[in-house]
Amino acid sequence: MDIILASRSPRRRALLEQVGLKGFKVVSPDVDEHIEGNPSPAHLVEALSQRKAQAVLAGADEDDLIIAADTVVVLDGAVLGKPADEREAFAMLSALSGNSHRVYTGVTVAQGDRMATDPEETRVTFRELEPEEISCYIATGEPMDKAGAYGIQGVGALLVSGIKGDYCNVMGLPVFRLGRMLAGFGIDVLALAAG
């Protein structure tokens, strides 16, 4: 059995390694991320994580275990994806300044004909940001490939004044929830970490 991370995110890969999962494979799923209708953020990330898991499951061996995730940032009901350019990043960060927002991640674990999906929600509060600070942060390049135009695990930590919930969720993979889900598939992550 192989464990396969269905993601191109280096942060998700690092989080799996951090909790002791070693030797897993990484496959970047090629999926359509458009969802019909107007689903809630939790349903959106659940559906997209399932779609990613199914795409990788189709080419995997029957006993392979797939881990997939999808993350969105939500401010006042609006989903903030990855910024298209620096101007959009500036607009997103300006909107987040001095406000609280929510980060939702859907996690799917799949093996054979079994699939489990759960959402995680974390509340993040930004301090008030000056326009010059936003421009400096954008100049680091960090915002450009991240939902909501920031990364809490990097320089973006300087923007965050508070967090309520799973910190790892804000990075894109709620490892506590994932650990409980993997236990349901017979994988004891703590035992694997212990060697």
Side-chain angles (χ1 to χ4, degrees), residues 164-181:
K164 183 175 182 183
D166 186 335
Y167 170 83
C168 294
N169 182 47
V170 185
M171 290 177 62
L173 190 63
V175 294
F176 170 78
R177 182 169 301 278
L178 175 61
R180 303 313 310 142
M181 293 172 75

Side-chain angles (χ1 to χ4, degrees), residues 11-151:
R11 293 164 295 283
R12 290 186 181 124
R13 179 186 298 191
L15 284 167
L16 284 185
E17 291 171 346
Q18 178 183 309
V19 297
L21 283 177
K22 306 287 186 213
F24 57 88
K25 294 181 177 178
V26 177
V27 176
S28 296
D30 184 20
V31 298
D32 175 12
E33 295 198 11
H34 177 74
I35 300 290
E36 291 295 326
N38 190 23
S40 70
H43 286 117
L44 173 67
V45 293
E46 285 181 296
L48 290 175
S49 72
Q50 288 173 354
R51 196 174 282 181
K52 291 175 181 180
Q54 288 166 337
V56 173
L57 195 60
D61 291 339
E62 190 166 326
D63 65 339
D64 288 345
L65 186 130
I66 314 300
I67 299 169
D70 192 79
T71 302
V72 296
V73 172
V74 179
L75 176 66
D76 298 329
V79 173
L80 305 181
K82 296 174 184 175
D85 54 31
E86 290 184 359
R87 200 166 93 187
E88 190 173 11
F90 191 94
M92 284 184 188
L93 291 164
S94 296
L96 293 172
S97 173
N99 289 309
S100 292
H101 62 276
R102 298 185 185 279
V103 177
Y104 293 86
T105 301
V107 180
T108 296
V109 177
Q111 185 177 44
D113 59 359
R114 233 182 118 201
M115 183 177 288
T117 304
D118 279 324
E120 184 69 43
E121 176 186 341
T122 303
R123 185 171 180 247
V124 181
T125 303
F126 268 32
R127 64 179 176 81
E128 289 283 350
L129 304 174
E130 296 296 329
E132 300 78 20
E133 293 178 298
I134 294 172
S135 295
C136 283
Y137 180 54
I138 291 170
T140 69
E142 188 175 271
M144 302 316 297
D145 68 338
K146 293 171 184 66
Y150 77 96

